[in-house]
Amino acid sequence: MKTTQLIQKTIRAGIFAMALFCSSSLFAQVKIGSNPTLINAANNLEVEASTSGRVTSVDKVTGQMTVKDGTEGSGKIFTSDANGGASWQTTTNQTIWIGEQVGVYQVPGWAGNTSDPNDRIPLVPRAGSLVGYDATTKLYTIQQAGYYRIHVGARMTGTTGGSGARLAISLNGQLGPFAEPQTLVYAGSFPIYGIFWEGYFAAGEVYGLMLWNFTATTPQYINVDKGFMSVTKLF
């Protein structure tokens, strides 16, 4: 009798251990929908539609939920229609990128062209800005086609030699819209000047803040600070 009870206790303990093992290993991840036996190792939960690439998942480390339904895109918000159907939609009048100059930057003398990267002011993206800025080229790349406002500004704190400088927006590496707010002939501190440009911009176009020296006869070096550029998606 005692032997039978001991065997029963051993069996129950074995069943409990097996159940515990199965619950911790087999059910650590959950996959629902298409390809139910395949799940990304980084996810705890996946719900996959029959359309390839459309899946809702939850990361096992960060807990972040990712929804890919074909409407996702950079800078969009997740919202619903009148029937509660959710999708990613483009927001309106959203500033998606802001870059600010750190310290004083010296724009070198005229290089004989309007595509010299040294004429572009280096900027540091502010926290919360979306991707798109290349610190090497000092240009921001439009990620999604649409109507945008590009706003740039800078303060010129002095110059050596010559005269003539234009605050400009660099367009695809060349001189774009520009303003000629002042002639710089001596050291000093001038107000911040700014210009903006609105229009339809295609994905892949690049923009930047530049100070263009157009005096070819006398070398000119412009000191500039308080530079900035913002990119706002209108719709």
Coordinates of all heavy atoms in Angstrom, one line a residue, residues 109-110 160-163 215-220:
G109 N 36.3 80.8 -47.3 CA 36.2 81.7 -48.4 C 35.6 81.0 -49.6 O 35.4 79.8 -49.6
W110 N 35.3 81.8 -50.6 CA 34.6 81.3 -51.8 C 35.4 80.2 -52.5 O 36.6 80.3 -52.7 CB 34.5 82.5 -52.8 CG 34.0 82.1 -54.2 CD1 34.7 82.2 -55.3 CD2 32.7 81.7 -54.5 NE1 33.9 81.8 -56.4 CE2 32.7 81.5 -55.9 CE3 31.5 81.5 -53.8 CZ2 31.6 81.1 -56.6 CZ3 30.4 81.1 -54.5 CH2 30.4 80.9 -55.9
T160 N 36.0 88.4 -42.1 CA 37.3 89.0 -42.4 C 37.4 89.1 -43.9 O 37.3 88.2 -44.6 CB 38.4 88.1 -41.8 OG1 38.3 86.8 -42.4 CG2 38.3 88.0 -40.3
G161 N 37.7 90.3 -44.3 CA 38.0 90.5 -45.8 C 36.7 90.5 -46.6 O 35.8 89.8 -46.3
G162 N 36.7 91.3 -47.7 CA 35.6 91.2 -48.7 C 34.3 91.6 -48.1 O 34.1 92.2 -47.1
S163 N 33.2 91.3 -48.9 CA 31.9 91.5 -48.4 C 30.9 90.7 -49.2 O 31.3 90.2 -50.3 CB 31.5 93.0 -48.6 OG 31.6 93.3 -50.0
T215 N 31.6 86.6 -53.0 CA 32.7 87.5 -53.4 C 33.9 86.6 -53.8 O 34.5 85.9 -53.0 CB 33.2 88.4 -52.2 OG1 32.0 89.1 -51.8 CG2 34.3 89.3 -52.6
A216 N 34.2 86.6 -55.1 CA 35.3 85.8 -55.6 C 36.6 86.4 -55.6 O 37.6 85.7 -55.6 CB 34.9 85.4 -57.1
T217 N 36.7 87.7 -55.5 CA 38.0 88.4 -55.6 C 38.7 88.5 -54.3 O 40.0 88.4 -54.3 CB 37.8 89.8 -56.1 OG1 36.9 90.5 -55.3 CG2 37.2 89.8 -57.5
T218 N 38.0 88.6 -53.2 CA 38.7 88.7 -51.9 C 38.2 87.6 -51.0 O 37.0 87.4 -50.8 CB 38.3 90.0 -51.2 OG1 38.6 91.1 -52.1 CG2 39.1 90.2 -49.9
P219 N 39.1 86.8 -50.4 CA 38.7 85.7 -49.5 C 37.9 86.3 -48.3 O 38.2 87.3 -47.8 CB 40.1 85.2 -49.0 CG 41.1 85.5 -50.0 CD 40.6 86.9 -50.5
Q220 N 36.9 85.6 -48.0 CA 36.0 86.0 -46.9 C 35.7 84.9 -46.0 O 35.4 83.7 -46.4 CB 34.7 86.6 -47.5 CG 33.7 87.1 -46.4 CD 32.4 87.6 -47.0 OE1 32.2 87.3 -48.2 NE2 31.6 88.2 -46.2

